[in-house]
Amino acid sequence: GFPAWRPRASTLGAVTAYGPRLADPTAVVGARVGAYVIDLLLVAAAAIACLVPMFLNTSIEAPSGTVTCNSGASSEFGVNRDRSTTDPSLCFDNGTTVRYIPLGDENAFTVKLYAIFFGIQAANLVLLQGLTGASLGKLIFGLRVVRPNGRTAGIGWALARWLMLQIDTMCCFLPGAILVFTTKGHRRLGDMVATTFVIRKGEVGRPPMVPGVNAPGPDDGYLAYGSYGPYNSPSYPAPG
């Protein structure tokens, strides 16, 4: 008898194959966006948790009005817009007291700030993701970063993905967003450089068969996504 579903023929050279519609294991873009938001919020929260005590320990407290933070509102933490003055750039005025970083300590404080932010981000996206295959956000959403052989990427490739992420960040995340939504395999620049795929954790351990990348796509007679059969299910012989 025939299968209950209608097979589609795929002509690969002189061979005609029949099989189930291949589901794209990388079609997890929504979960990836959610995971990245979680990662961003967690990194920001951790950085703020480190920044506040560091600012309090480094800053000097003085009565409000004795030090000018910037040309804007008084209850503002920001950068002095008038660099010709000797007023500090990093300060916070709550209307009663003002806390500020002395001019001679501003550069060192800024270096520490960036070191903390990138250090936390690297711990999450390089160390944790390299060891487990997932950042905190991906762990929550059940995603993993794998190589073409289906194994988790490892620290070296996670580092390559993270470095390429900085390019996306400098461009307001536009390159990454465009590539993830438009490319086969939903790969951003870091995935292309590291040759990685983001898939569900249940599919780790077997090579991800991505339609149009390393598996037949729509042009070969298969549809890129659907469910005539489970992902990687066996093919069926041609009827007749």
Side-chain angles (χ1 to χ4, degrees), residues 166-177:
Q166 308 314 313
I167 297 178
D168 290 337
T169 303
M170 288 186 292
C171 299
C172 301
F173 305 102
L174 287 178

Side-chain angles (χ1 to χ4, degrees), residues 5 18-23 206 222 228-236:
W5 45 268
Y18 288 79
R21 187 186 294 186
L22 291 179
R206 55 185 177 187
Y222 287 86
Y228 279 160
Y231 163 56
N232 254 7
S233 59
S235 297
Y236 292 85

Side-chain angles (χ1 to χ4, degrees), residues 2 28 41-42 49 58 62 72 86 102 107 135 157-158 168-169 173 186 188 194 206 218 220-221 229 238-240:
F2 296 99
V28 292
L41 292 177
L42 290 175
T58 308
T86 58
N107 289 338
S135 62
W157 295 115
D168 290 337
T169 303
F173 305 102
H186 305 284
R188 63 175 177 84
R206 55 185 177 187
D220 299 313

Side-chain angles (χ1 to χ4, degrees), residues 48-64:
I48 292 173
C50 295
L51 170 63
V52 171
M54 186 175 72
F55 178 76
L56 293 177
N57 291 334
T58 308
S59 63
I60 296 175
E61 186 177 21
S64 181

Side-chain angles (χ1 to χ4, degrees), residues 5-33:
W5 45 268
R6 178 174 57 86
R8 294 195 60 173
S10 173
T11 303
L12 303 177
V15 179
T16 300
Y18 288 79
R21 187 186 294 186
L22 291 179
D24 185 352
T26 66
V28 292
V29 175
R32 288 185 68 174
V33 172

